[in-house]
Amino acid sequence: MIHLKTPEEIDVIARGGAIIADFLVEIRPRIRPGVSTLELDGFADDFIRAHAGAVPAFKGLYGFPGSVCTSTNEEVVHGIPKADRILEEGDLISIDVGVKLDGWCSDSAWTFPVGEIDEEAKHLLEVTEDALDRAVAATVLGGYVGDIGAAVVTRVEGTGLSIIRDLVGHGVGREVHEEPQVPNFGRAGMGPALREGMVVAIEPMLSWGTFEIQTLDDHWTVVTQDGTRAAHFEHTVAVTAAGPRVLTVAPAEAPA
Ligand code: MG
Ligand code: MG
């Protein structure tokens, strides 16, 4: 069942989301060649716990060992932070972060370049981030969950990139993952109606090659089947009478 949130509950989720937004600003200068993904994970854990009442929502979730997911290059999601995964010039790294604050979760992800990246990688990042923006804009009262995926499809068509179809966005609330599922590959007018108080994580994932994925032997890391690079951008968004409210932004970035 889909749990609708009150405006007060949405405000708490937004406070957790602001911690994530601040973290994503602070982590950026730390993402450079020579840094391990485990170091980034340690910074994330310290940063989140420095806020009273806040814990990393992914730590131990379904047994996940890290405080954030760090997925590089052909890794799409759920990469485990490692001491021996040292970032190199030209890599892409997606950092997926969940915060639980006063019992409420928020969820966001961003894909960063490591040093200078090639034109192919820039194109991948630009289109995926833009697909997220379009999907957020489609998250309006009177619409349907399928409109969100349809917005991603419309943006990605003609770019040569593929939408990862087997991984989806989701409702967010007391739990990181709630109903409904929010596919990135949708048809307008289909799926559950978007209702006031729904809070969803919207998270398009695109690859340079195939949309097909597989999970590595570590039982976590999801990679593209053909080894081409992937990107992942995610925001937690509330459906409100005033339009989509992005909750994983710093207060200064929040639209008036
Ligand atoms: Mg996430
Ligand atoms: Mg998510």
Side-chain angles (χ1 to χ4, degrees), residues 58 96-97 107-109 203 232 234:
F58 297 167
D96 195 344
V97 198
D107 187 6
S108 182
E203 48 183 316
H232 176 211
E234 177 181 27

Side-chain angles (χ1 to χ4, degrees), residues 208-219:
W208 187 261
T210 180
F211 62 86
E212 291 178 283
I213 53 174
Q214 61 187 33
T215 304
L216 298 183
D217 290 341
D218 64 13
H219 302 297

Side-chain angles (χ1 to χ4, degrees), residues 34-216:
V35 172
S36 77
T37 54
L38 190 66
E39 287 173 73
L40 299 177
D41 185 68
F43 176 78
D45 195 271
D46 291 344
F47 185 92
I48 292 166
R49 292 182 197 278
H51 298 78
V55 293
F58 297 167
K59 185 88 178 179
L61 184 67
Y62 317 118
F64 188 75
S67 293
V68 291
C69 302
T70 52
S71 309
T72 55
N73 299 334
E74 78 283 3
E75 298 172 357
V76 183
V77 289
H78 305 164
I80 298 172
K82 290 190 186 78
D84 62 357
R85 179 56 176 99
I86 309 294
L87 297 182
E88 293 174 24
E89 184 89 17
D91 280 344
L92 296 180
I93 179 170
S94 144
I95 299 190
D96 195 344
V97 198
V99 161
K100 194 167 198 174
L101 175 74
D102 296 340
W104 292 93
C105 300
S106 47
D107 187 6
S108 182
W110 214 258
T111 304
F112 298 97
V114 181
E116 278 299 311
I117 57 173
D118 59 39
E119 291 304 317
E120 193 177 293
K122 284 180 192 166
H123 176 61
L124 178 62
L125 295 188
E126 280 169 15
V127 174
T128 314
E129 184 178 351
D130 199 35
L132 172 60
D133 289 344
R134 305 288 186 93
V136 169
T139 311
V140 293
L141 211 52
Y144 295 85
V145 168
D147 301 352
I148 297 170
V152 175
V153 170
T154 301
R155 177 60 186 91
V156 174
E157 260 171 2
T159 63
L161 303 173
S162 296
I163 301 168
I164 307 295
R165 306 174 191 194
D166 292 346
L167 297 164
V168 296
H170 49 91
V172 183
R174 291 279 185 192
E175 308 294 333
V176 175
H177 297 119
E178 297 187 353
E179 291 182 49
Q181 292 198 347
V182 181
N184 296 306
F185 199 88
R187 285 173 56 199
M190 304 296 282
L194 295 171
R195 295 160 65 195
E196 192 166 357
M198 277 175 67
V199 176
V200 290
I202 298 172
E203 48 183 316
M205 293 156 244
L206 303 187
S207 86
W208 187 261
T210 180
F211 62 86
E212 291 178 283
I213 53 174
Q214 61 187 33
T215 304
L216 298 183

